[in-house]
Amino acid sequence: MKKRTLAAIVLLSLLAIAPLRAEIRYLTLQQSIDLAREQSYSMRSLREDLKIAEYNLKSTLAGLKTHVDLSLTAPSYNQNIRTWEDSTGVSFYSVKRLDYSGTLTVNQPLITNGNIYWETGVNAYDDYNALLRSSTLNTRLRFRQPIDALYGYNNVRANLKQARLNYERSQKSLQREELGLVYQISSGYYNLLSLQRSTEIARLDLERQTEANEISQNKYASGLIKEVDALQMEVDLAESQNSYEVALINRQSAVNSFKEMLGIALSDSIVLTDDLSYTPIVVDADEAVQYALANRTELRDKDIAIEMQEMSIRQTKSNGMIKGYLEAYVQRTGTNSIDRQDSYMSTLSNSYHNFFERPSNYGVGFTVTVPIVDFGQNRALVRAAKSRQQQNIWSREELERSIETETRNAVAKLNNNLKRLQLLEKNVTLAEKSFEITRQRFSDGDIDSQTLALERNRLNNAYRTHLSAYIDYQLSLADLLRKTLHDYRPGAVNYD
């Protein structure tokens, strides 16, 4: 019985742990970037910002369409005491009343900042004190148009344009953050790849040093080398072992940082599948500058800021202009009161006939407000707004120069890193051949352990400098993509 219970507990434990089993991810650079796009906090937050701007734009567009509202009171009962004051004094009387009403309102905003408004409704009530039942039918059509919106500042058009610009700005922010994320992930990826390759170099060095130490110990046992040479080999082996262990620790630390950057669980395992292959790409500086000036989102942000400030200038100017509005309405009303013993349909029918018998009410009005003296307040505000606009224009010009400078520097750095990488490839090949010859000479007893150690260090340095050059070249490509929004890799999808 105890065995069965123990087996059940173990089985349940395994089932509970199974969903938490770590996942092994084999990642290329592009897969890492795609994963970060979906799971990183900054990208998810910016996508929500884009949704906010999109919904605000939809809200502004919906504000230009017809709005229909229905208001119902069914019913409302009131009982209170009212006062009446005349020459004989103050008297009090009771009021009891039951109300029913319904109102339909249709409002159509106009692109000219005006609106057409139609309201129709019915109201009926019972007066329990006067024993009356009354009803009223009412419909009203109104038009209102601010005249300053025709030549000054139009709030409807301005709000619509601002919503569209804010939506575009959110799109550009998302695109800019995405490029920054691409560079950040590329940097983290190649940093981890560098540490991963450094660990392999340290492991190979440890294997070579272990082999050299065995040869040295055999020679010492045979009396072919001095004891000091054998001891030096043991010291070199210990240093290689320590270097390998440090490389493992650094790699694991970089792995955890990269997992956090990607937004995946720390319990997952990741394996980078890059093989240090590359495509030589030579970039023309003038062409890169053209891409940068055409595609950089910061320039469009400056253009949006200039457009926004231009609207602000017009709005400030309009505060000092002649203002007014044209308003017109037409209204029809029908009303009737009958004895409370009669039905509601009777009073509504009478109100309906009265609705067509009564003459229409109408009105037309034109109101104007003329600013006379403000002691230059509005003029000063307009000039301040124009000065801010000039700052925006100068800021955009300076940004253009800065973009051109940094793009040319990025191209020069890329081309230089490519030449350095191609040169160091040859250096690695020569260092490997030289080490093999030196190791054979050491086995033959032609050279001592110190010469072998120097040649081994030269080979390790060749591996490390080649790896550093490869990382610098790949990061230069990622940096140029960030600065031009143009991917020069063959078959890449571009933003321009």
Side-chain angles (χ1 to χ4, degrees):
M1 182 67 181
K2 291 183 178 179
K3 291 182 178 180
R4 291 180 179 178
T5 304
L6 181 60
I9 293 175
V10 172
L11 180 59
L12 291 175
S13 300
L14 292 175
L15 291 175
I17 295 174
L20 302 177
R21 185 172 53 189
E23 181 180 355
I24 301 177
R25 300 175 183 267
Y26 296 89
L27 300 175
T28 63
L29 174 60
Q30 189 58 48
Q31 289 171 335
S32 301
I33 292 173
D34 294 339
L35 188 62
R37 281 194 180 113
E38 293 299 323
Q39 301 194 25
S40 69
Y41 168 78
S42 58
M43 291 301 297
R44 285 185 292 176
S45 178
L46 278 172
R47 279 194 290 268
E48 293 303 317
D49 287 340
L50 181 61
K51 289 181 182 179
I52 292 172
E54 181 181 359
Y55 293 143
N56 287 336
L57 177 58
K58 289 182 178 179
S59 174
T60 303
L61 291 172
L64 299 177
K65 298 178 180 179
T66 303
H67 286 63
V68 181
D69 298 303
L70 177 63
S71 175
L72 295 174
T73 301
S76 174
Y77 178 76
N78 292 283
Q79 179 176 340
N80 52 48
I81 301 296
R82 292 185 182 178
T83 61
W84 175 261
E85 184 176 357
D86 57 12
S87 58
T88 62
V90 178
S91 58
F92 299 88
Y93 63 97
S94 174
V95 175
K96 297 180 182 179
R97 177 165 167 163
L98 180 65
D99 286 89
Y100 297 88
S101 65
T103 303
L104 180 68
T105 303
V106 180
N107 183 26
Q108 174 59 60
L110 302 177
I111 196 65
T112 57
N113 205 26
N115 72 305
I116 298 176
Y117 176 90
W118 176 60
E119 181 181 75
T120 185
V122 57
N123 174 267
Y125 67 89
D126 285 344
D127 190 335
Y128 290 93
N129 296 96
L131 300 179
L132 292 178
R133 177 163 286 169
S134 302
S135 64
T136 302
L137 299 178
N138 178 73
T139 186
R140 179 185 180 97
L141 181 65
R142 189 192 69 173
F143 167 77
R144 192 176 190 274
Q145 173 61 56
I147 61 171
D148 51 291
L150 303 177
Y151 57 82
Y153 186 77
N154 187 320
N155 281 316
V156 173
R157 291 182 182 274
N159 291 338
L160 179 59
K161 187 173 183 179
Q162 287 177 357
R164 286 173 173 165
L165 291 176
N166 286 330
Y167 178 67
E168 182 182 358
R169 178 179 284 173
S170 297
Q171 286 181 313
K172 299 299 182 183
S173 296
L174 180 63
Q175 186 180 26
R176 184 165 56 248
E177 183 66 21
E178 183 178 351
L179 289 172
L181 179 69
V182 168
Y183 182 79
Q184 181 184 5
I185 297 301
S186 299
S187 179
Y189 181 90
Y190 286 118
N191 176 62
L192 177 57
L193 182 64
S194 174
L195 292 173
Q196 182 174 296
R197 297 298 182 184
S198 296
T199 303
E200 293 180 8
I201 293 172
R203 180 183 59 79
L204 292 174
D205 180 62
L206 178 60
E207 292 176 356
R208 287 192 296 266
Q209 189 59 36
T210 301
E211 180 184 359
N213 183 64
E214 292 176 355
I215 295 173
S216 175
Q217 294 301 323
N218 292 333
K219 285 186 176 183
Y220 174 67
S222 302
L224 299 178
I225 61 173
K226 299 178 181 179
E227 182 181 5
V228 65
D229 291 333
L231 292 176
Q232 182 61 48
M233 277 296 178
E234 292 181 3
V235 171
D236 292 343
L237 177 60
E239 291 181 352
S240 297
Q241 180 67 38
N242 181 68
S243 298
Y244 178 61
E245 292 174 356
V246 171
L248 288 174
I249 294 173
N250 291 336
R251 185 185 67 177
Q252 187 58 44
S253 177
V255 165
N256 292 336
S257 299
F258 193 60
K259 290 177 185 177
E260 182 180 1
M261 193 181 299
L262 296 180
I264 63 177
L266 294 179
S267 58
D268 291 351
S269 298
I270 57 175
V271 179
L272 305 188
T273 58
D274 199 296
D275 58 357
L276 298 186
S277 61
Y278 70 97
T279 302
I281 298 174
V282 180
V283 178
D284 179 70
D286 293 333
E287 181 186 49
V289 169
Q290 290 179 1
Y291 281 126
L293 295 179
N295 300 333
R296 285 286 285 269
T297 59
E298 297 95 321
L299 290 174
R300 181 53 189 159
D301 279 348
K302 292 295 183 182
D303 292 336
I304 291 175
I306 291 173
E307 292 185 55
M308 291 282 199
Q309 186 60 27
E310 189 62 34
M311 287 190 288
S312 178
I313 293 174
R314 288 200 299 269
Q315 184 179 18
T316 304
K317 281 183 177 180
S318 68
N319 293 333
M321 294 179 177
I322 297 175
K323 294 186 176 182
Y325 60 89
L326 176 65
E327 188 172 23
Y329 76 91
V330 60
Q331 181 181 22
R332 292 190 69 91
T333 303
T335 184
N336 176 255
S337 294
I338 60 175
D339 190 270
R340 188 173 174 275
Q341 296 179 352
D342 296 329
S343 66
Y344 272 112
M345 291 305 299
S346 297
T347 183
L348 289 174
S349 177
N350 294 337
S351 296
Y352 178 77
H353 292 294
N354 184 254
F355 179 85
F356 291 100
E357 293 171 356
R358 281 176 177 267
S360 299
N361 303 324
Y362 64 90
V364 177
F366 182 61
T367 305
V368 179
T369 302
V370 181
I372 299 177
V373 177
D374 68 350
F375 296 98
Q377 179 185 19
N378 183 261
R379 186 184 301 110
L381 293 174
V382 171
R383 289 177 178 176
K386 288 183 176 180
S387 294
R388 283 190 289 271
Q389 181 72 307
Q390 187 61 54
Q391 288 178 330
N392 291 335
I393 294 173
W394 287 340
S395 177
R396 190 190 189 284
E397 293 174 354
E398 180 62 26
L399 180 60
E400 281 188 354
R401 288 191 290 268
S402 176
I403 288 175
E404 181 176 359
T405 300
E406 67 181 24
T407 302
R408 291 187 181 277
N409 291 339
V411 171
K413 184 178 180 181
L414 172 67
N415 294 336
N416 182 65
N417 286 336
L418 175 60
K419 293 178 182 178
R420 178 169 171 262
L421 175 58
Q422 292 172 334
L423 177 64
L424 290 176
E425 279 185 327
K426 299 177 182 178
N427 191 28
V428 168
T429 302
L430 294 175
E432 289 175 340
K433 292 180 179 179
S434 177
F435 179 77
E436 289 300 325
I437 295 173
T438 303
R439 184 171 58 177
Q440 185 62 43
R441 292 181 64 194
F442 177 75
S443 299
D444 296 341
D446 296 337
I447 58 175
D448 57 11
S449 60
Q450 185 176 5
T451 304
L452 178 63
L454 291 175
E455 194 62 34
R456 186 184 69 252
N457 290 336
R458 187 178 295 111
L459 176 61
N460 290 338
N461 288 334
Y463 282 143
R464 292 190 182 98
T465 53
H466 173 261
L467 177 61
S468 175
Y470 173 80
I471 301 300
D472 290 342
Y473 174 69
Q474 296 294 348
L475 289 180
S476 296
L477 270 177
D479 185 48
L480 189 61
L481 168 62
R482 182 174 59 168
K483 288 180 167 58
T484 63
L485 276 74
H486 183 83
D487 197 341
Y488 286 89
R489 294 174 300 177
V493 178
N494 284 294
Y495 294 85
D496 49 312

